[in-house]
Amino acid sequence: MTSPAPSSPAGLSNAEAAARLKAEGFNELPRPDRRTLFGIVLEVLREPMLALLLGGGVIYLALGDFKEAIILLVFASLSVVITVVQESRTERVLEALRDLTSPRALVIRDGERKRIAGREVVRGDLLVLAEGDRVAADAVLLQADDIAVDESLLTGESLPVRKIARDEAGDTIPRRPGGDDQPIVYSGSLMVRGSGIAEVIATGARSEIGKIGQALGTMQTEPPRLQTQTRKLVRVFGLIGGAFSILVVVLYGTLRGGWLDAVLAGITVGMSMLPEEFPVVLTVFMAMGAWRISQARVLTRRAAAIEALGSATVLCTDKTGTLTENRMSVAELRLLSGETFRPRAGDLPAAFRDLLETALLAAAPDPFDPMDRALHRLADEHLPDGAGGRSLVHAYGLRRDLLAITQVWRDPDDLGNYVVAAKGAPEAIARMCGLGDADLKQLSSTVDAMAADGLRVLGVARAAHPSDNWPETQLGFGFVFLGLVGLADPLREAVPAAVADCRTAGIRVVMITGDYPATARAIARGAGIDSEASITGDEIAQLDDAALAQRLKSTTVFARIMPEQKLRIVEALKADGEVVAMTGDGVNDAPSLKAAHIGIAMGGRGTDVAREASSIVLLDDDFASIVKAIRLGRRIYDNLVKAMGFIFAVHVPIAGLALLPLLFGLPILLGPIHIAFLEMIIDPVCSIVFEAETAEDDVMRRPPRNPDRPLFSGALIGWGLVQGLLVFTLVAGVFVIGQSRAMPETELRALTFFALVLSFVCLIFVNRSFSTSILAALRRPNPMLAAVLVIVGGVLGLSLAWPWLRELFRFGPLHGDDLALTAGAALVVLIVLEVIKPLWRRRLGGVPSRRPGA
């Protein structure tokens, strides 16, 4: 990257700036054509499941059954609203990024300093930068006075990096975010120390942060697997239902001669076989699942993430702010003699007082730098008098050839004597103190050991100066080496246990960080992640996709990783068949969060961009919440399978009872009102029982669910057919018994309907658990089950006792022996299915691993 010379020492003229603004555009991300609300609604209306709901409502309206039509259309409207809200929220990601990249800027134009909107900065502008400023655009430093910049939004790392002027920098230095001694400052980064003047070299989409925004704009989120599978299922049901409807029309018209009645019968049978309740139940499960997960302080932004949680095989986690607290703290004080003090160990020993006090005096009095802040926090705990009333009178900043900071303080008790405090790179402090070879060797060994533990090590020295005649450089003071300060971004307390839980659940935890390898490995060891298998960004850059895929199989720590490499890692894992969850909090994480099957952003410290790009947000930034979300995700999917299997099972007797009278010339039992009642009221209400089921005992001891395993597996379809055929056989038997008693049509309809509904209730008990018996399942609390039993019993009772409802259903009175017959048929369903359920238990309850040995 090269930069042109400034057009003049006075910066650009207003005319030049206006011309460039017109030619190159504003300093912001390009605004793509956002989808309008109307456009989103049109996309939603094209969904097959929603089309079925709306189509069913229209059909019932045409038939004049307004109550049933209203039920269907209300569910359809609810589905539209939920989907439109979710889609509209995802549109805000680029808006959040655009706001972040447009701070105010102080520029030099026509020789005068003026503050302008960040979006009006143009290439060639001279930016005046000071401590606390947000950099408005990528720029090359023309002047740099002890500058340190926080680039964590771009690199994910909390430590600030040093910056130098262009004339001091060599051409061989890599010019990209992260790393010390670069002459480039980047848009969106924060000045934590120093001041300078920089010439803008890239704005808007051409800046580093702009490139991330462009990548987000072109990426597509992972489509919901359940939605895809359900679409296919709906199409199959639609074809089967359509075929049966035509068959019924032909048979009825041919055998009975009433073609208008034949068309109505065909519509009734078709509606009995169309799965109107599938989208309703899916919506209920996703909404309730999102609510349940929110109780664990986890916000679900996309329903697809709920279904994916149960099949996650790899969790890619950022280090800073995710595994760690994203807050530098002093982890260790060490004297040259080898004595150490760890702040959490207790009170500060007297031997370490001078070391901590001197480190505090070498820090900025009102710090932005996170290391200086850490020193101030520790001093507040152990040094009540702080700087002892001294006043700062002189300072020496970092130099490229001497990486140390020195500050001179006047002692109020001895105005003729000055205290000189220095901190910086240990080798620089050792040079200033003139340590001998033996001490240098020991110091080097100690620093290496501390760095291997993931610590950022500073040397601290102190000197006394008798007058205000300051030497030209820091080397002119007679320093005494006091010791070392080790700083670290501490690991979150809950992380090791959460990583262990992931391992038990068969999920491989991978750490991806922009930090140095030694620091990354130290944090990984503390978290319980295998720290031996590591790779750096430079090594990844040398690998092609095939070689990278091979290394990914065994690598768990990725260090010095650039944002585009994070995305490449996620994409490679996905290509290898892994279901990828990715955590992060910075702008640099946004593309990989969006690309992952499950993007998990930190809600407290995370940027708006990361949150908007993710599918899940941890509201309390607690890594352990991920494990809770995975547990709930597996439970939700298990219960969804139970509910869908139940619905599939009940469709068999409904369709059979609709066809049976037509084939044998018997009275028509089920009309549109009965089918609407069964499918749009009883089925969803009963399915809520499954949603409230507690997790199976082995939910976190299984391997991740195979993502390619269909929701409606062969085993589930077979089990549903067995249940449905048994119910149909017994209810048909009740129907035949009623026929043999010469019961009136209205009483026969009520008898059959009661037997059918009570059998459905027994199916709920059978399907509450695939892995245990009904007796074990009854010991698990489920308050919704009692509520459903009361609702179903109440509706059945009202259908007999309330004349208006009895007339609507065309029911006749039932007697005690009739009710006993229906209850007996339902009890037989329960007993038979419980006896044969163990034959299906292994295939229904067990979840095979993604691949052998995974």
Side-chain angles (χ1 to χ4, degrees), residues 300-312:
T300 305
R301 298 189 62 255
R302 297 189 183 94
I306 297 176
E307 64 185 75
L309 279 169
S311 56

Side-chain angles (χ1 to χ4, degrees), residues 1 151 155 163 173-179 182 184 186 208 537-538 541 560-562 564-565:
M1 181 185 299
E151 296 179 346
T155 65
K163 297 293 181 180
I173 297 176
R175 297 186 176 182
R176 64 184 186 186
Q182 289 190 35
I184 309 294
Y186 298 94
E208 290 297 317
D538 289 339
R560 302 305 286 165
I561 300 298
M562 294 299 293
E564 63 271 16
Q565 291 176 325

